[in-house]
Amino acid sequence: MTTTTSKTTTGDAAAHASIGAAARELQLPTVRAEAGRLAELADRERQTHLRYLADVLAAEVDDRTERRRTRHINDAKFPRLKRLSDFNIDAVPTIGATTLGQLAAGQYMDAGEPIVLLGDSGTGQRHLLIGLGLAACEQGRRVRYITTAQLVNELVEAADERVLSRVVARYGRLDLLCLDELGYVQIDPRGAELLFQIITEREERASIAIATNLPFSEWGTVFPDPCLVSAIVDRVTFNAHIIETGTQSYRLRTSKTTRSRSRKPA
C-alpha cells in the first residue's frame, strides 16, 4: 500500500513538473498555477478527464481576458474611471437609459459611427465620454482618451520629429478615440490641419467620440479656416450619435442639493 502511494506521489510530481514546463513553453501561466488545485478538485468531485481539461483551459481564458481588459484600460489613459451605469440619467432628461444601453453595447464601433457629446461644462460630458471608453475597453477594444489640446500638441511634436505618419497610423488603429474638451482652446492653422488628418484617417472606419461645449455653428471659433471647419463638422456628424447634455451644471446642482440638505434641522 505504501509502495503504491509512493509511486502515485512520484508520478504526480513528475506530471506537475511536465505540466509546468509545457505551460511555460506555451505561455499559459494560469494553467501552470491552477493545474494542481483543479486536479485535486476534479479528484474529489470525480470529474472526467475532459471536464478537468475544460476547467483548466477556462481558467486560462478567463485570466487572459481579465489581463487584456486591464491592459486596455491602462493603455486608454483615462484621467479617472467612470462607468455609464453610475451616470445620473434623471439629472439630464435629454438622455434616455435606452440610448446609453445601446451605446454601451458598442455596435456603433462596428459601424465606425462617431459620437458627439454637446453641452456646457459640468453637464456630464466627460463622465459619458470616459464611460463609453471604459465600456469599450471591457469589450476588449483598443481605446485612447485624450484632450484636444494634448492631441494637437502630440501631433505637432510628431511632425517636427518627422514621425507624424507613424503617430497618425497608431491613432488610426484604435477602435475608439475619445477626444475631450474640443472648444476650450483655440487651435492654430497647423494644429487644425494635423487634427483633421486624424479625423480623416478614422472616417467611416473607426469611431471617434467627441465632448464639446460648443454647438457646431461655433466651431469656427476653434478652427481658423472656414473650409476646414466645414470638412471637420461634416466628418464627425455623418451617421453620428449626437447627445446633448444641456446647459445646467450637474455638479453645481448636486452641490446645492447637498448644502440644502445639510442646513435642514434634524
Side-chain angles (χ1 to χ4, degrees):
M1 186 72 170
T2 304
T3 303
T4 303
T5 303
S6 176
K7 287 182 179 179
T8 302
T9 303
T10 303
D12 286 349
H16 282 308
S18 179
I19 290 171
R24 193 176 295 108
E25 178 70 21
L26 295 171
Q27 297 183 0
L28 301 172
T30 307
V31 169
R32 188 170 71 248
E34 293 292 316
R37 183 184 68 81
L38 291 175
E40 292 175 3
L41 180 64
D43 189 47
R44 284 198 307 270
E45 297 182 354
R46 299 185 178 182
Q47 295 176 0
T48 64
H49 295 100
L50 284 177
R51 172 65 189 277
Y52 166 68
L53 178 60
D55 286 347
V56 171
L57 294 178
E60 181 68 47
V61 170
D62 290 345
D63 191 51
R64 187 167 294 190
T65 299
E66 181 59 26
R67 292 199 304 271
R68 186 185 303 116
R69 171 187 164 278
T70 301
R71 185 174 67 251
H72 283 318
I73 292 173
N74 291 335
D75 290 345
K77 301 186 185 302
F78 298 117
R80 61 191 65 83
L81 297 184
K82 290 183 176 290
R83 299 184 180 278
L84 291 177
S85 58
D86 297 328
F87 187 77
N88 186 355
I89 297 176
D90 295 334
V92 187
T94 55
I95 303 174
T98 303
T99 300
L100 284 188
Q102 290 172 343
L103 292 176
Q107 281 137 357
Y108 69 95
M109 285 181 282
D110 297 329
E113 296 168 347
I115 294 177
V116 182
L117 303 167
L118 283 167
D120 286 355
S121 177
T123 58
Q125 302 153 290
R126 178 170 292 176
H127 187 145
L128 291 172
L129 189 66
I130 293 174
L132 288 168
L134 187 57
C137 287
E138 291 176 337
Q139 294 169 11
R141 307 200 193 233
R142 293 166 296 181
V143 179
R144 178 72 163 91
Y145 168 95
I146 192 168
T147 67
T148 305
Q150 287 173 333
L151 178 55
V152 169
N153 289 338
E154 183 179 338
L155 294 173
V156 169
E157 289 177 8
D160 291 341
E161 295 171 6
R162 299 174 183 263
V163 292
L164 180 63
S165 59
R166 189 188 312 163
V167 173
V168 171
R170 186 174 75 239
Y171 277 100
R173 288 192 294 271
L174 296 170
D175 296 302
L176 177 64
L177 173 60
C178 297
L179 192 61
D180 201 0
E181 297 183 356
L182 192 153
Y184 287 82
V185 179
Q186 197 171 36
I187 301 174
D188 64 25
R190 186 188 183 203
E193 290 174 3
L194 293 172
L195 181 60
F196 180 67
Q197 286 191 46
I198 296 291
I199 294 172
T200 300
E201 177 75 12
R202 304 182 61 78
E203 183 184 6
E204 294 187 56
R205 188 181 58 79
S207 293
I208 181 170
I210 298 175
T212 177
N213 65 324
L214 297 177
F216 298 116
S217 59
E218 295 180 21
W219 281 26
T221 61
V222 179
F223 305 104
D225 184 345
C227 293
L228 192 60
V229 173
S230 178
I232 289 174
V233 171
D234 179 66
R235 281 161 175 75
V236 301
T237 57
F238 183 68
N239 286 335
H241 302 266
I242 300 174
I243 299 174
E244 296 185 21
T245 58
T247 58
Q248 292 186 336
S249 172
Y250 168 71
R251 287 195 295 264
L252 181 59
R253 274 180 292 156
T254 302
S255 298
K256 287 180 177 178
T257 302
T258 303
R259 285 198 299 269
S260 297
R261 286 175 181 170
S262 65
R263 286 172 186 159
K264 287 181 180 179

